[in-house]
């Protein structure tokens, strides 16, 4: 028997049953003995009375020692016990166990205890050894008119009866013990089986397996426990499901967030990091259990988390970190939790960069506006100061004012155009635009300027090619490039527009034989307000925004821009634009 409970129950059953049997045996057997002896005694008294009645019924003539002995022998045979007939003076008249010779020798029985008792109380009894027949006997004597009648039974007979009764009791006790043991075994096994089943289910639940239930439920306390286990499994399964759903929801939210999230325990050790934070800070995988300082190596973040933990107040810091060789601006918002802290990291690098760009732009615009405005004011003051009286000077100054005013106008128009493009307010309406006529129109527009500088302006774009472009934007792009080429090419030079198609796009190029651009400036010429030679550009009425506008418009069409140039030899500005869709 492996189970301890089964063994304990079985042993308890056996002990209780054995104890009950021992106690009842110990109390029952002496009682039975007493009852048996009393019954035998009663029986012997009845027999002695029978003999007394017989003795007393005889006439005196019929009575003498001879008759008494004969009566003793006869009655002994009848009742199956030793019979002694004694005279009132104690002389033994007859005895079923003694012959005549022995009778003569037998001593006076008056002092025998049973005879003494019978003298006082009609009958007496005694257990003792009979010296006469050398055996233990139970004597019962009754008083008669002619002395005493005594009946004796050997104690061995009584002992045999007692032993038989004891044997029966022991046999019955052993059978009862066996039945009790068997019942204990069956009961304990069924209890243990139910308990083992319940413990198996509880173990499954602890492993997160809620699939099993108890089906055979008895109508007792074990059944109540089994129902409670089933109810517990149902409840835990529901709660477990809800927890799992909530956990999945939280994981999905954390995974989908663009903000980084860091959760620490009360000791400041990291317990949760979402993928956005891993990417933002370039964390490796083994962050779990480390402190913020150990893992992030940033005193400001550590400070924010520690203060949130100790002061139980939200903290906010902006930090600079280097990830992959790039500086990033990150705002950290750390807040206390019940036991720990949660920090949210926002990458504000783009916001800060845009802020800087805007500041720079405002500074550039102010600067660009200042120069022509200062000039206009200067010329106006000079005119007011007396130059108005000198017509030729006045005319020159007014022309200067006009030039600066148109410079201002160009600037404002370019800024407006650029802000329209950048803010997405400029709508690009794509339409099939045949290239040759479009380029012809631009060449016509700038023919006067080319002629004035004796520059040969050529359109080498072949017919039959159409771009998918906004005609006005296309005019602006190519117009800016042709105008730049004419501006930065000396007299007698050439400006050529070419086109070639490649992979769904058309590459248009404006090549000139002008001054060229130093290699160091090439990467920056498409930036706003960037000019290789500021004075020259301004003199030409340039704003430094033309190429920036070209770049934005080309990108709005999904194309690219670029430049190849060599100082003193000329430049080639190119851009790509999608070809007309042939549906
Ligand atoms: P700008 O109004 O000054 O011409 P752009 O943005 O059009 O401004 O051009 C930026 C700068 O690029 C010019 O100031 C000039 O120095 C240089 N650049 C543009 N086109 C040419 C060209 N075809 N040849 C030489 N330099 C050029």
């Amino acid at each position: 028997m492996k189970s301890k409970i089964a063994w304990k129950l079985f042993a308890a059953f056996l002990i209780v049953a054995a104890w009950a049997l021992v106690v009842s045996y110990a109390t029952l057997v002496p009682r039975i003995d007493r009852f048996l002896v009393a019954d035998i005694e009663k029986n012997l008294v009845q027999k002695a009375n029978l003999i007394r009645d017989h003795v007393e019924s005889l006439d005196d003539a019929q009575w003498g020692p001879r008759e008494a002995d004969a009566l003793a022998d006869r009655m002994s045979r009848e009742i199956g016990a030793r019979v002694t007939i004694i005279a009132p003076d104690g002389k033994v008249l007859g005895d079923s166990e003694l012959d005549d010779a022995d009778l003569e020798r037998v001593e006076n029985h008056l002092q025998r205890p049973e005879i003494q008792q019978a003298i006082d109380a009609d009958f007496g009894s005694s257990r003792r050894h009979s010296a006469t027949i050398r055996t233990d006997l139970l004597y019962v004597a009754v008083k008669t008119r002619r002395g005493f009648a005594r009946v004796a039974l050997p104690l061995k007979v009584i002992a045999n009866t007692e032993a038989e009764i004891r044997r029966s009791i022991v046999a019955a006790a052993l059978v009862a013990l066996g039945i009790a043991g068997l019942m204990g075994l069956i009961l304990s096994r069924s209890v243990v089986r139910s308990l083992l089943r319940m413990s198996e289910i509880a173990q499954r639940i602890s492993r997160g397996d809620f699939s099993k239930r108890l089906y055979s439920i008895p109508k007792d306390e074990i059944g109540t426990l089994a129902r409670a286990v089933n109810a517990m499994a149902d409840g835990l399964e529901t709660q477990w499901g809800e927890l799992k759903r909530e956990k999945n929801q939280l994981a999905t939210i954390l995974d989908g967030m663009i903000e980084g999230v860091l959760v620490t325990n009360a000791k400041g050790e990291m317990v949760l990091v979402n993928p956005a934070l891993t990417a933002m800070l370039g964390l490796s995988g083994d962050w779990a259990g480390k402190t913020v300082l150990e893992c992030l190596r940033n005193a400001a973040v550590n400070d924010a988390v520690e203060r949130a933990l100790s002061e139980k107040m939200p903290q906010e810091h902006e930090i600079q970190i280097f990830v992959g060789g790039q500086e990033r601006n990150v705002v950290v918002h750390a807040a206390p939790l019940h036991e720990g802290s949660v920090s949210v990291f926002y990458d504000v690098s783009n916001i800060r960069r845009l802020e800087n760009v805007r500041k720079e732009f405002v500074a550039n615009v102010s600067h660009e506006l200042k120069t022509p405005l200062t000039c206009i004011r200067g010329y106006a003051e000079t005119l007011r100061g007396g130059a108005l009286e000198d017509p030729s000077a006045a005319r020159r100054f007014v022309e200067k004012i006009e030039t600066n005013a148109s410079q201002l106008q160009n600037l404002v128009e370019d800024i407006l155009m650029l802000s329209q493009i950048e803010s997405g307010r400029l709508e690009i309406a794509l339409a099939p635009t045949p290239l040759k006529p479009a380029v012809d129109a631009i060449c016509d527009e700038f023919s006067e300027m080319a002629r004035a500088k004796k520059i040969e302006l050529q359109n080498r774009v072949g017919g039959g090619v159409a771009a998918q472009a906004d005609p006005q934007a296309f005019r602006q792009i190519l117009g800016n490039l042709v105008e730049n080429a004419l501006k930065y090419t000396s007299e007698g030079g050439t400006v050529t527009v070419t086109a070639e198609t490649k992979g769904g796009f058309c590459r248009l190029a404006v090549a000139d034989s002008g001054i060229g651009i130093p290699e160091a400036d090439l990467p920056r010429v498409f930036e706003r307000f960037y000019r290789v030679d500021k004075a020259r550009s301004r003199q030409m009425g340039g704003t430094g925004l033309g190429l920036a506008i070209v770049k934005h418009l080309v990108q709005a069409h999904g194309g690219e821009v670029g430049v190849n140039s060599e100082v003193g030899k000329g430049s080639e500005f190119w851009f790509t634009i999608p070809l007309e869709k042939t549906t």
Side-chain angles (χ1 to χ4, degrees):
M1 202 178 297
K2 272 188 271 170
S3 162
K4 277 186 171 178
I5 286 197
W7 170 239
K8 281 179 189 165
L9 277 172
F10 176 66
F13 251 86
L14 271 189
I15 289 168
V16 169
W19 180 246
L21 290 172
V22 166
V23 168
S24 46
Y25 182 85
T27 52
L28 215 60
V29 166
R31 276 174 187 232
I32 290 173
D33 278 0
R34 275 200 304 280
F35 176 77
L36 192 69
V37 171
D39 192 54
I40 291 170
E41 247 176 32
K42 202 171 140 197
N43 192 264
L44 289 179
V45 169
Q46 279 173 357
K47 285 173 179 169
N49 285 339
L50 202 72
I51 297 166
R52 181 197 63 199
D53 294 348
H54 210 86
V55 168
E56 288 180 352
S57 68
L58 292 172
D59 299 335
D60 287 344
Q62 292 172 304
W63 186 248
R66 184 183 292 270
E67 285 80 10
D69 194 35
L71 184 69
D73 289 347
R74 203 175 73 241
M75 291 309 283
S76 170
R77 274 196 302 281
E78 260 178 46
I79 63 174
R82 178 183 169 193
V83 175
T84 313
I85 293 173
I86 301 158
D89 60 355
K91 182 179 170 15
V92 177
L93 299 176
D95 191 299
S96 57
E97 302 297 314
L98 301 175
D99 54 22
D100 292 346
D102 292 331
L103 267 175
E104 287 302 319
R105 283 196 304 276
V106 81
E107 64 180 61
N108 189 291
H109 273 33
L110 194 65
Q111 294 310 314
R112 293 285 195 275
E114 64 277 8
I115 303 296
Q116 285 297 310
Q117 286 171 30
I119 293 169
D120 296 335
D122 288 346
F123 93 92
S125 74
S126 168
R127 279 181 187 213
R128 63 193 152 73
H129 186 76
S130 161
T132 323
I133 58 166
R134 294 183 193 82
T135 180
D136 289 335
L137 290 169
L138 171 64
Y139 295 96
V140 170
V142 296
K143 207 158 63 179
T144 71
R145 201 159 45 85
R146 294 195 167 101
F148 306 95
R150 193 181 76 172
V151 182
L153 202 66
L155 282 176
K156 214 165 67 193
V157 175
I158 299 170
N160 284 347
T161 313
E162 278 175 0
E164 202 163 310
I165 289 174
R166 271 180 211 167
R167 267 200 303 280
S168 308
I169 290 177
V170 169
L174 286 177
V175 170
L177 206 63
I179 291 171
L182 200 68
M183 278 174 66
L185 199 68
I186 292 168
L187 201 70
S188 61
R189 284 185 82 125
S190 94
V191 169
V192 166
R193 207 174 303 126
S194 303
L195 289 178
L196 283 178
R197 188 86 189 95
M198 280 183 233
S199 109
E200 185 204 321
I201 286 187
Q203 275 172 3
R204 277 174 183 269
I205 289 173
S206 75
R207 290 196 300 268
D209 174 5
F210 300 98
S211 60
K212 291 275 182 286
R213 294 287 184 279
L214 293 160
Y215 293 109
S216 57
I217 296 175
K219 286 186 181 122
D220 54 14
E221 288 83 351
I222 297 261
T224 312
L225 182 61
R227 270 191 293 276
V229 168
N230 278 351
M232 183 184 75
D234 287 345
L236 282 176
E237 189 174 15
T238 313
Q239 284 178 8
W240 184 258
E242 272 171 25
L243 276 178
K244 237 171 153 179
R245 251 195 314 282
E246 278 174 21
K247 202 178 152 198
N248 285 344
Q249 264 175 6
L250 188 67
T252 314
I253 292 169
L254 285 173
D255 287 357
M257 278 174 79
I258 51 166
E259 292 87 0
V261 177
L262 161 69
V263 179
T264 72
N265 60 18
K267 286 189 270 175
E269 291 164 349
M270 295 161 71
V271 291
L272 190 147
V273 162
N274 75 339
L277 188 67
T278 311
M280 199 186 285
L281 306 183
L283 292 180
S284 59
D286 58 341
W287 47 263
K290 285 187 180 171
T291 63
V292 175
L293 196 61
E294 261 178 329
C295 192
L296 307 187
R297 304 203 171 278
N298 189 300
V301 178
N302 186 56
D303 187 46
V305 171
E306 281 194 345
R307 285 177 65 177
L309 284 171
S310 61
E311 293 174 19
K312 298 272 172 222
M313 290 284 286
Q315 307 289 325
E316 195 166 286
H317 279 286
E318 180 162 342
I319 58 166
Q320 274 82 40
I321 47 166
F322 281 88
V323 180
Q326 272 193 330
E327 194 193 47
R328 305 204 73 87
N329 292 63
V330 176
V331 171
V332 185
H333 184 91
L337 287 177
H338 177 55
E339 273 183 359
S341 72
V342 59
S343 306
V344 180
F345 294 67
Y346 313 89
D347 189 340
V348 291
S349 309
N350 280 341
I351 297 171
R352 296 287 175 269
R353 194 176 50 75
L354 287 175
E355 277 172 5
N356 287 338
V357 167
R358 209 183 57 226
K359 275 186 211 157
E360 214 175 284
F361 183 72
V362 170
N364 278 330
V365 168
S366 317
H367 181 74
E368 293 298 328
L369 290 173
K370 220 168 111 189
T371 317
L373 280 173
T374 313
C375 287
I376 290 169
R377 227 180 125 188
Y379 290 127
E381 274 171 12
T382 315
L383 283 170
R384 192 157 44 85
L388 268 175
E389 315 309 325
D390 178 353
S392 70
R395 187 182 177 81
R396 217 172 53 245
F397 288 157
V398 170
E399 276 170 8
K400 294 268 186 199
I401 288 174
E402 212 180 345
T403 311
N404 277 293
S406 75
Q407 168 79 10
L408 268 181
Q409 192 182 352
N410 286 346
L411 194 62
V412 171
E413 278 173 3
D414 279 359
I415 289 170
L416 278 176
M417 166 68 86
L418 202 57
S419 83
Q420 251 185 331
I421 302 169
E422 282 189 351
S423 65
R425 273 183 288 127
L426 185 86
E427 279 181 19
I428 301 277
L430 297 179
T433 310
L435 288 177
K436 190 173 164 34
V439 177
D440 271 341
I442 289 158
C443 287
D444 272 356
E445 204 179 308
F446 289 98
S447 60
E448 189 52 41
M449 188 176 167
R451 213 177 357 260
K453 286 187 82 175
K454 297 191 177 61
I455 292 172
E456 194 185 342
L457 176 58
Q458 290 181 353
N459 174 9
R460 291 224 189 120
V461 177
V465 185
Q468 188 72 11
D470 179 299
Q472 252 191 314
F474 183 80
R475 205 203 67 77
Q476 180 93 34
I477 296 166
L478 200 64
N480 279 6
L481 294 181
V482 169
E483 190 182 356
N484 275 355
L486 292 172
K487 275 198 301 195
Y488 300 105
T489 300
S490 323
E491 282 198 3
T494 56
V495 172
T496 316
V497 183
T498 55
E500 58 185 60
T501 56
K502 199 178 175 190
F505 278 83
C506 180
R507 181 183 187 276
L508 280 128
V510 180
D512 62 55
S513 58
I515 58 170
I517 301 167
E519 208 180 329
D521 295 301
L522 279 178
R524 302 194 61 188
V525 288
F526 289 96
E527 283 177 20
R528 294 180 199 137
F529 298 114
Y530 191 83
R531 284 171 285 200
V532 177
D533 182 344
K534 273 199 180 157
R536 186 170 190 155
S537 159
R538 226 173 256 135
Q539 193 194 336
M540 302 282 183
T543 61
L545 292 174
L547 286 182
I549 291 170
V550 167
K551 188 175 122 182
H552 275 96
L553 286 175
V554 169
Q555 284 176 346
H557 283 82
E560 290 172 14
V561 287
V563 56
N564 306 309
S565 183
E566 210 176 310
V567 176
K569 286 203 171 171
S571 312
E572 185 209 41
F573 281 85
W574 59 265
F575 66 96
T576 58
I577 200 147
L579 283 173
E580 177 198 11
K581 282 192 192 119
T582 49
T583 45

